[in-house]
Amino acid sequence: MDDDLPSASRRTILFIRRIGAHQLRTQSNSDMKPEDDRTQKEDHDVLTHNMILPVGAMGIIGVVLITFLVFMAARWQDGIATDRSLRTAVTMLDQMHRDMARTTIDYGRFLRLESDRLWPMDGEWLDTRIGHPITTTHGYDWIIIINGDDGFDYVNHDGKRVDIDPAAVLTPAIRRLIGLAREPRAEPIRAHSGLGKFQGEVQFVGVTRLSEATPGSPVLDGTVLLLATALDEPAMAGLSSTLDLPDLRIVAPEEAPPSHGIPLIAADGTALGGVTWTKESPGQHVFDKALFLIILASPALLGLAWAFVRRARDTVLIVMELERALHRERERAGRYLSIVGSIIVAIDADGRIELVNDRGCRVLGRRREDLIGCDWVAEFVVEEERERVAATIQELLQGERDEVAPTEYQVVARDGERRAVAWQSTTVLDDAGTVTGILSS
């Protein structure tokens, strides 16, 4: 029979309770060893180094990613603005072509109706009925009637009749349009419009024929009406304001046209240059402002990142120190338990061993690792007392009582030897007051 007395068991259990209730916050600073201070400093340095690098890298990557996304959005917005400007310019040129063709055919039809009756037409009549209306209403610069021999029967420039050498006007592109107008066709007479260059300026030109080669007609076969307007600086400035295309202008053929420009090709296929304008960059303006704000906000973001690192580092250090303190307490409790002369056994809610001291290992004749997890009643209580001991343990686990009076029952060692032990048992509670096990000594 074991020599442990009930009073000794009670003192042992009270001693263990005091160990379990020991709080880390009451631990004196004198308990800290110099090596603990060194360990804390090393942990502090390692954590700072290991955390600041990834957090700093993530912060930098985040700033770069935001900048990239803003840049791509700005590029997308600039692309939309460029496409819109390009469509506006193309629409403008197409509209000028259509207006030129329509005006030319309208006045050509009027002259054809009047030609048989009034030919050759009087210059003042043409000024009044043709030159002045076209100049003032449509803003065209040139009104020329060219006969079948390529002579000029009438020339009006900016609302005034002028004399001009036909060779200065009849460039290859203009001759191409005149040739198209003179071609005999089955369909009704129509106007031909296109680009040409004379008098040193790029011109929008419209040509339609006035004669139909009918017998007895006083109009010489091949006579055509030519209207032209120059794409000069005043004209481009007006279009620039109307179409909201900044700095709309004509560039020479030798100049490389920008990617957003429109090439100008004469009627004979000759390159006349291109139409270009100052590219709108609303997205770039937004990006510049956003980049400025990002640069201003970067120190604040880095400061927040550093604050996060410090807070996380301090939290981890506290957890690590608590773990070390808990480990020290467990080692200390283990040392206390190992020197206690009584058997100490902790049983969980399933009735299995979760803690046993050295004295218990010696009495049961087994190693601690072999005992942990074993069913206490089924494997170590003698058969004739198992029912009584199991009932007592169930009462404790179900909370029917906090502790039982000292009781004696026999346990079986590994070699089969029976040892009578006087036991004092009490419940172990968690923070919520729920029974989680039994402590017996």
Side-chain angles (χ1 to χ4, degrees):
M1 178 176 177
D2 191 85
D3 56 1
D4 294 328
L5 299 175
S7 59
S9 298
R10 186 177 296 106
R11 287 194 300 272
T12 301
I13 290 177
L14 292 175
F15 174 71
I16 293 174
R17 279 183 169 179
R18 287 196 296 272
I19 294 176
H22 185 71
Q23 300 297 321
L24 294 177
R25 63 176 178 270
T26 63
Q27 183 176 348
S28 172
N29 292 332
S30 61
D31 292 338
M32 300 295 293
K33 300 179 181 179
E35 53 268 24
D36 293 334
D37 293 334
R38 289 194 298 271
T39 301
Q40 283 187 336
K41 186 176 185 307
E42 291 173 357
D43 291 341
H44 181 281
D45 296 340
V46 170
L47 283 173
T48 301
H49 180 269
N50 290 343
M51 295 182 69
I52 193 62
L53 288 180
V55 172
M58 290 176 61
I60 294 174
I61 292 174
V63 171
V64 172
L65 180 60
I66 292 174
T67 304
F68 175 74
L69 293 177
V70 173
F71 173 75
M72 294 303 296
R75 289 287 301 273
W76 176 73
Q77 188 175 4
D78 285 346
I80 292 177
T82 299
D83 292 342
R84 182 173 59 247
S85 299
L86 188 60
R87 288 195 299 269
T88 300
V90 171
T91 301
M92 175 265 297
L93 292 176
D94 289 343
Q95 187 63 43
M96 292 181 72
H97 274 291
R98 289 193 295 269
D99 291 344
M100 177 62 74
R102 183 171 57 251
T103 304
T104 304
I105 196 67
D106 287 345
Y107 281 94
R109 183 181 297 111
F110 171 74
L111 286 176
R112 283 195 296 275
L113 292 174
E114 299 292 334
S115 61
D116 290 344
R117 183 171 60 87
L118 300 174
W119 200 266
M121 293 182 178
D122 179 73
E124 292 183 1
W125 186 90
L126 287 171
D127 288 342
T128 303
R129 306 299 297 273
I130 300 295
H132 181 72
I134 291 177
T135 301
T136 57
T137 303
H138 302 283
Y140 294 162
D141 302 319
W142 295 90
I143 303 100
I144 304 174
I145 296 177
I146 306 171
N147 59 41
D149 295 328
D150 288 341
F152 288 0
D153 292 339
Y154 175 79
V155 180
N156 186 301
H157 177 59
D158 289 338
K160 298 179 181 180
R161 273 179 287 163
V162 296
D163 292 327
I164 188 172
D165 182 7
V169 176
L170 299 178
T171 59
I174 303 301
R175 289 185 180 277
R176 170 65 176 166
L177 292 173
I178 293 173
L180 291 173
R182 286 173 174 170
E183 290 179 358
R185 297 177 181 271
E187 65 269 16
I189 295 174
R190 61 175 182 165
H192 296 270
S193 62
L195 293 173
K197 187 173 185 179
F198 59 86
Q199 295 296 95
E201 295 177 332
V202 176
Q203 307 275 350
F204 256 113
V205 181
V207 182
T208 186
R209 75 174 185 263
L210 299 179
S211 63
E212 301 185 29
T214 55
S217 173
V219 182
L220 185 63
D221 185 30
T223 300
V224 297
L225 171 66
L226 181 147
L227 304 181
T229 184
L231 295 178
D232 53 11
E233 289 187 7
M236 300 305 291
L239 291 171
S240 176
S241 176
T242 302
L243 302 175
D244 195 23
L245 295 176
D247 194 24
L248 188 67
R249 63 193 184 279
I250 303 290
V251 295
E254 57 271 14
E255 297 183 30
S259 59
H260 59 277
I262 301 174
L264 297 178
I265 306 298
D268 64 340
T270 304
L272 298 178
V275 177
T276 187
W277 57 92
T278 300
K279 184 178 180 180
E280 293 182 326
S281 301
Q284 184 64 42
H285 298 321
V286 173
F287 175 73
D288 293 341
K289 294 179 181 179
L291 183 61
F292 178 71
L293 294 177
I294 291 173
I295 293 174
L296 288 180
S298 294
L301 294 176
L302 293 177
L304 290 175
W306 173 242
F308 169 78
V309 169
R310 292 184 60 184
R311 178 64 63 86
R313 178 200 62 197
D314 294 344
T315 302
V316 173
L317 285 174
I318 291 173
V319 172
M320 293 176 64
E321 179 56 31
L322 289 174
E323 289 179 347
R324 279 196 293 267
L326 181 60
H327 181 69
R328 288 193 297 269
E329 288 299 318
R330 285 176 175 173
E331 288 184 342
R332 181 181 302 171
R335 289 194 299 270
Y336 291 158
L337 292 175
S338 65
I339 63 176
V340 172
S342 301
I343 300 174
I344 297 175
V345 178
I347 302 173
D348 63 17
D350 295 325
R352 297 184 178 277
I353 299 173
E354 63 177 359
L355 182 146
V356 61
N357 68 344
D358 291 346
R359 174 65 172 170
C361 293
R362 288 195 298 271
V363 170
L364 297 174
R366 298 191 185 186
R367 297 180 303 175
R368 180 177 288 105
E369 52 267 27
D370 295 333
L371 293 172
I372 300 300
C374 293
D375 189 308
W376 171 251
V377 174
E379 297 188 36
F380 301 104
V381 178
V382 295
E383 183 175 358
E384 56 269 22
E385 294 187 280
R386 286 176 186 170
E387 183 176 351
R388 176 175 64 86
V389 174
T392 301
I393 291 177
Q394 285 301 314
E395 290 178 357
L396 290 170
L397 291 176
Q398 292 174 4
E400 296 178 6
R401 61 170 95 178
D402 293 336
E403 60 182 29
V404 295
T407 182
E408 181 178 311
Y409 60 85
Q410 298 183 46
V411 295
V412 182
R414 184 174 185 178
D415 57 4
E417 181 184 358
R418 296 188 174 194
R419 302 289 300 275
V421 182
W423 297 96
Q424 175 75 34
S425 299
T426 186
T427 56
V428 178
L429 307 178
D430 60 13
D431 294 338
T434 303
V435 177
T436 61
I438 300 172
L439 186 63
S440 300
S441 173

